[in-house]
Every structure is written in C-alpha cells, then in structure tokens.
Amino acid sequence: MGNGPGHAVLAWLHTRMATLGVRAMDAWTVVLRGYRRPLAWLTLRLRFAFFPLLAMAAIGWLGWDWTHERSLDAAEDAIFDQVLQWRPVEPTPSGRVVVVEIDDCSIDYFRSVGEGGWPWSRARHADLIDGLDRAGVRGVGFDVLFADRSAQDPQGDLLLEEMAKAGDGRFLFAASRLHRDFDGRASLTADLAPAAYARTRAATIPGPTVALMLPYGEAMARQSALVNVARAEDGVVRDVLLYLEAGDWNIPALPLRLAALADHPIAAVHHPRKPLLRVNWRTRSQLPYASAADIIEQRPICHSDAHPMPSLSDTVALVGYTAAGINDVKPTPVNRAMPGVEVLAEATEALVAGSAIRMPPGWVKYVLAALATLLTTLVFWRGQPHKDVDSVFVAINALLLLLAFAGLTLFGVFLDIFASVGFVSLCFGACRMYSGVQRGRADGNSDYTAEHDPAAEPWTAVVRLRLLPDPTLSARSYKVRRREYRRVLRRHVYAGDGIVMIDGIVERKHVMTAMLDDIATLLWNGSSEATLRDRVRKDLDALQAELVRYPRAPAARAQLAISLAMAETGGASPDARRLKLRSLLRQDFNQLPERPLEAANTFLDTGPGPDGETA
C-alpha cells in the first residue's frame, strides 16, 4: 500500500467527491420527488385509461393535421432532402439527355471574335438549333423565352420561325403560365393551347381561358411547352411540373413533350397520372453538359481533350443559361443554385430513363402513424414488460428506416415513414414515461410514493407466488402461459395501490433465471394484523379474478401456488426493523406448505398454524 503524497491527494479527492455526490443526489432527489409524486398520483387516478386516451388524442391530431396544416408533409420534405444526401447509391445518367449551356465561355468566345456579347441574336440561336440537328439529336428544348420579336434582328426572327416550321415538332420552345388573375382577360382557351390533350372523353369545348406567354412566331407557339416550376412552401424545387390542369384539359410542360421525342416506350411519358414529377436528384453525378459555342462552331471551343464534348447522337437536348449574372437558378434538394435548364433536364432524364421517384399518396403516412400509435398504446395498455417493448420498438423502427433507405436507393420508391416514426416515437415516449411512473410506484420507489412509516404501519405481509409447471404443455406453450401470467400480474399491481412487487428474484436472462423465473413476491404494509390480512385477501382475490377474466386466454389456465408470511416489522431503530424484515423474507422463501390461489382465499382470514408458520 502506498503512503506517498500522491495517494494522500487521491484519498482526499475521493472523499470530497463522495461527499459532494451524496449532497448532489439528495438535492436531486427533492427535484425528482417534486414531479414524480404528482405523476404517480395521476397514474393512480387514470390507471390504464391513459393509453386509450392518448391514442384518441394522437389520432385526432393526425386527422386535424391532414385537413389543415399537413405538418407531416412538411417534415417529409426536409427528411427527403437529407436521405438524398446520405444514400450510398444514386442512379447514373442514361446519356440520352444532354444540357446545352449558354455559359460564360460561349458568350466570351463570340465577344472575342467581334460578333457581340450578350444577349445573343436570334440568328445565333437558329445556328445552335442547326448545329444540334447536324449532331443527330432527336429533339431540342429551349429554356429561353422568345416572347417578343427583335427590333435589331428581324431576319433572325424569321430564321428562327422557319427552323420551328422545318423541325416538324422536334424543336420545342419555352412558354410560361401567367398568374391566374390574368385568365379573365386571356383569349386563348385550354383546348387550343400548345399540344393540349383532353383529360376525359367528355371534355368541354371550348375549355376555360388560360393566360400563357407564348413565343412570337406561329410555328414556335405551336411547338412550345411550359417551363414553369413548382416550389414547395420552403421555396425548394423537388417536383417538376409535367402538365398544367385547366378544366378538362392538360397543357404539357417542356420535359413531358421532350421526353416523348426520345422515343421512350413507356406510355406514362405521354399521359402521366399526376401533374408533378418527383425527380431523382443526384449529388455525386451530373448530366452530360455541352457548351453552345462548341456546337455552333462544330469544334472544341470550351471543351478540351481532358473534358471532351459528350455524344449528341440520338439524345434530346435542353438549351438554357448557365452563365454568371443571368438570373436563372433554382434551389433544389442537392443544389441551392441549380441552373433552371438543369432542373428541366433532370425531369426529362427521369422520364426518359424511368428513374423518377415514386411516392405513395400523402394519406399513407397518416394511416401508418395512426396504426403504429394504436399498436404502441395497445402494447402498453396490456402491460407488456418495458424491457421487451423498448428493444422491439427500436428494432422495428430501425428495420423500417433501413427499408425506406433501401427503397429509395435501389428501387426509386420513397416511402416517407420517417415523419411517421418520429410522431410515433413521441407517443411511445409518453407511454414509456407513464409506464415508468406506474412501475416506480409499484416497486415502492420513494420518489413516486410516500416513504413507509413503520410507526403507522408496523405490520408487513409477504406473499410468494409460484407458477406451477404443467407437464401437458410443451416448453413453448408453458413459456407463453408464464409470460401472460406475469403480464396480468404486472397490470393488476400497476393499477392497484399499496402493493409492492418484486418482479422476479434474479435479473432477466441471468444464469439462475431458469430456476427462479417462476417466482414473484408481493409485499404489503398495514396498521394491524387483521387489517393487513383483509387487504391481502382482497388483493389476491382480485388477482385471481383478473387471471380468469378471459377463460380462453393462456393466463386463465395458470395454476399458482402461494405462501404467506406475516410479522410485525416495526421497531425502535432502523437496524431492528431491518433484521425483522430480513427474517420475514427468509421465512417466506422457505415457507411450506403452499396453497393454490383461488377465487376466494379464505385461509388468509385465519391466524398462525400450530407449527408457528402462517397458514
């Protein structure tokens, strides 16, 4: 043993820490009792009615939220963004959709050769279409709005219009949906909008008027499509518009019309069921990009040997701005400043490659949350052991989250169970807390109930309950019976008052569990022997009634043997009371003979037997 200064310092430190620890825990005990005892009083009044009340309140809130705020939907968007960032695998581009960018390099190039900077002439846009056509593209979609004729380039206007005519529907131009307030003054009806198709066989003709900003040329207007985007409440673009609903008519957007030009075999490309498409946004890969200058000049201008221009043969091309200073960026889940042309290209890619994210209807998450809440409250209402409930709840939630990740990563299906799991976890936490208060009161924890006063209640009764084996049952069937018996016992004690339960003699799954897991011990305190006997008898009679309440249930056929030990455990000092209680517990565990638990345990009304043991 050391006697040096270092050992003396450590001894002093341990002493001070132990003293401070005792003082801190004594103070903390006051805090715990300040809220735990009122909660214990509440559990004694509500008993197990708390759980169905919580289920009704939770499901009522889900119904209200579905018809009002849609909070779970809002949570879904934020969770969707994070899952996209975390998933280990994402779809690779098919190579059938190319972004043709009017970038800084292209603008600077034509400025450097003396052909003017930005904005480009209509003739140069026509040259870009011609270059793409020569490269073998199947279709071109312009995310550039040519709303008015150019006073400086009338010949370019005519050339672009002629390109639209000659393209025979392969060259598509941008159109924009104006605010609904302008519909009343519009002359265009929905049935005459570009490429509009009827949603029903009995579609009304003419359709309602709709305010659209179309290109200036007749052929360009006829071969135009909407480029409007749909933003969520937080301003982020997660879904892209495929068509605009106007009365009985649908007016297609640019991704829908362009995907049809890619000769995709899926019929849903032409007539999707929903107006919005959830794009399978990528974080680690990008669609092929080509600079406009390279295509117009038919030689590398902005691309290099290290970054060659992608093949354009048999692709569809989206043309739009990416140059700095041209305000055409949209916030998306993976890029807060994604060029608008790339947003439309990603939607087109989702249609062409069949990689769009499929999502169940919004009501699914609400139904899932309601069912999970019902299951959670039912489990706690039945009085299942908290250790089993905790582990099973965590395991099921982990499995559901894993399935959700796998569905999005491998199959492109986003089942938003995350918000539902979060909601159910709140309900689980409330149930877990309430059950913990019930258990603390049933265990006799002084944080939850008043401390025992040996002067007012000097008598103590200890009852040992033992589940008798049944040789007619298989090991599994006996295990089911034992589990149900313990559940009914636990529920009876939690709902009652004045019973302290020692739930098992050894820790669950201990090496001695197999020998002692059939034993449970109950303890009562009373002011006199007669009063205490009457209380014990009533509680045991009630326990038997609970066990046989459902005759076909496993617990109803449980055969229990009981032994009772009773003594006056009061004393002048704590040591004297402790010795008496130890003697009483030893007497109970050694008590023989045992008696069966019956509907009316009248033997408890008698006093000690001739052998000195409690009969």
Side-chain angles (χ1 to χ4, degrees):
M1 298 179 63
N3 296 314
H7 288 81
V9 171
L10 288 176
W12 175 87
L13 177 62
H14 289 319
T15 301
R16 297 302 299 170
M17 290 297 294
T19 303
L20 290 175
V22 170
R23 291 179 179 176
M25 292 311 300
D26 287 344
W28 182 239
T29 298
V30 175
V31 176
L32 293 178
R33 292 180 178 180
Y35 73 88
R36 284 181 171 178
R37 288 187 177 181
L39 288 177
W41 177 87
L42 180 65
T43 61
L44 190 58
R45 297 302 179 274
L46 291 179
R47 303 191 179 188
F48 281 84
F50 170 82
F51 301 110
L53 289 174
L54 176 64
M56 288 188 292
I59 294 174
W61 183 88
L62 288 172
W64 180 88
D65 188 62
W66 170 251
T67 57
H68 291 80
E69 298 294 331
R70 296 286 183 94
S71 301
L72 291 188
D73 278 344
E76 172 191 298
D77 290 339
I79 294 168
F80 174 79
D81 297 350
Q82 289 299 321
V83 174
L84 286 180
Q85 303 285 345
W86 294 339
R87 62 178 177 174
V89 181
E90 61 184 15
T92 56
S94 65
R96 302 179 63 192
V97 179
V98 177
V99 177
V100 177
E101 54 179 341
I102 303 175
D103 54 355
D104 292 308
C105 175
S106 298
I107 295 174
D108 292 341
Y109 168 75
F110 286 104
R111 182 186 294 113
S112 67
V113 297
E115 296 185 16
W118 186 258
W120 282 1
S121 65
R122 302 290 169 79
R124 185 165 299 146
H125 286 292
D127 291 341
L128 179 57
I129 295 177
D130 181 64
L132 290 169
D133 190 35
R134 291 173 181 271
V137 297
R138 288 181 174 272
V140 178
F142 261 87
D143 185 23
V144 180
L145 190 59
F146 301 109
D148 301 311
R149 295 182 180 274
S150 173
Q152 292 78 24
D153 189 19
Q155 292 300 319
D157 285 342
L158 293 176
L159 181 59
L160 199 58
E161 171 70 3
E162 289 301 319
M163 294 290 291
K165 292 179 181 179
D168 193 23
R170 293 175 50 240
F171 308 139
L172 303 175
F173 299 86
S176 179
R177 169 71 161 113
L178 302 180
H179 196 275
R180 294 180 181 274
D181 292 346
F182 295 99
D183 288 349
R185 290 176 285 176
S187 59
L188 180 67
T189 57
D191 57 302
L192 298 179
Y197 60 91
R199 191 163 58 250
T200 63
R201 293 183 178 180
T204 303
I205 300 177
T209 57
V210 57
L212 301 179
M213 182 180 291
L214 301 174
Y216 62 85
E218 180 180 349
M220 294 169 64
R222 188 168 58 252
Q223 304 301 336
S224 65
L226 300 177
V227 293
N228 300 77
V229 297
R231 296 177 184 263
E233 291 186 0
D234 57 0
V236 177
V237 177
R238 299 180 181 86
D239 305 301
V240 176
L241 185 71
L242 293 182
Y243 58 83
L244 172 70
E245 294 179 335
D248 297 330
W249 299 85
N250 291 339
I251 304 173
L254 185 59
L256 185 61
R257 293 199 65 182
L258 197 58
L261 294 176
D263 195 24
H264 197 277
I266 300 178
V269 167
H270 303 286
H271 298 290
R273 296 181 179 180
K274 298 180 180 179
L276 295 178
L277 175 79
R278 177 61 60 97
V279 175
N280 205 334
W281 305 99
R282 282 177 283 267
T283 59
R284 294 178 294 275
S285 59
Q286 190 181 48
L287 294 174
Y289 266 69
S291 291
D294 293 359
I295 296 172
I296 294 173
E297 295 295 318
Q298 297 292 303
R299 60 187 178 89
I301 301 295
C302 299
H303 285 81
S304 61
D305 293 339
H307 302 283
M309 189 172 69
S311 173
L312 299 176
S313 178
D314 288 329
T315 64
V316 290
L318 271 295
V319 180
Y321 314 121
T322 63
I326 302 177
N327 188 19
D328 185 37
V329 294
K330 309 290 190 299
T332 67
V334 297
N335 185 351
R336 295 301 173 180
M338 180 177 286
V341 63
E342 186 174 352
V343 172
L344 297 177
E346 286 285 3
T348 307
E349 166 75 11
L351 290 171
V352 170
S355 61
I357 292 177
R358 299 180 296 279
M359 301 180 66
W363 56 264
V364 171
K365 69 174 71 65
Y366 285 84
V367 172
L368 179 62
L371 292 176
T373 299
L374 286 174
L375 179 60
T376 299
T377 53
L378 175 63
V379 167
F380 279 97
W381 175 81
R382 294 187 72 244
Q384 296 288 1
H386 68 282
K387 294 180 179 180
D388 291 348
V389 175
D390 291 349
S391 58
V392 171
F393 181 81
V394 172
I396 290 177
N397 284 345
L399 178 61
L400 290 175
L401 295 178
L402 180 63
L403 291 176
F405 262 97
L408 179 61
T409 303
L410 304 177
F411 307 105
V413 178
F414 182 65
L415 176 58
D416 177 33
I417 63 169
F418 301 90
S420 300
V421 167
F423 177 81
V424 175
S425 296
L426 293 177
C427 297
F428 177 85
C431 293
R432 186 68 172 79
M433 182 192 69
Y434 188 88
S435 178
V437 174
Q438 287 181 312
R439 185 174 62 256
R441 185 172 52 79
D443 289 343
N445 190 326
S446 58
D447 286 348
Y448 298 93
T449 185
E451 293 188 31
H452 174 233
D453 183 2
E457 295 182 325
W459 281 83
T460 301
V462 179
V463 169
R464 184 188 71 213
L465 294 172
R466 186 169 68 89
L467 179 65
L468 298 178
D470 188 342
T472 64
L473 293 180
S474 65
R476 179 175 294 276
S477 297
Y478 178 75
K479 187 175 181 180
V480 171
R481 176 179 293 183
R482 182 180 61 208
R483 182 182 180 86
E484 274 298 285
Y485 144 67
R486 284 189 170 276
R487 181 191 66 80
V488 174
L489 173 62
R490 187 182 304 108
R491 198 174 189 277
H492 175 70
V493 175
Y494 282 9
D497 185 25
I499 309 177
V500 174
M501 179 173 64
I502 303 175
D503 189 7
I505 308 305
V506 296
E507 181 67 21
R508 192 170 69 108
K509 297 185 179 180
H510 188 270
V511 66
M512 298 178 66
T513 300
M515 293 180 286
L516 297 175
D517 65 349
D518 59 340
I519 296 176
T521 305
L522 305 180
L523 184 146
W524 290 261
N525 290 302
S527 58
S528 66
E529 180 182 3
T531 302
L532 188 56
R533 281 183 177 279
D534 182 64
R535 187 174 184 179
V536 172
R537 180 181 57 78
K538 289 180 178 179
D539 285 339
L540 290 179
D541 290 350
L543 172 60
Q544 176 64 15
E546 284 291 328
L547 289 170
V548 299
R549 172 175 291 188
Y550 305 103
R552 296 185 179 181
R557 294 183 289 274
Q559 298 296 319
L560 297 177
I562 64 174
S563 63
L564 169 69
M566 184 179 299
E568 185 178 6
T569 55
S573 66
D575 288 339
R577 293 193 296 270
R578 187 178 298 112
L579 290 174
K580 289 182 178 181
L581 182 59
R582 289 176 179 174
S583 176
L584 181 63
L585 289 173
R586 182 172 62 252
Q587 178 185 356
D588 180 73
F589 279 102
N590 294 327
Q591 181 79 314
L592 289 173
E594 296 174 311
R595 297 178 181 271
L597 181 66
E598 299 174 343
N601 297 279
T602 55
F603 75 92
L604 292 170
D605 296 330
T606 63
D611 56 359
E613 294 181 340
T614 303

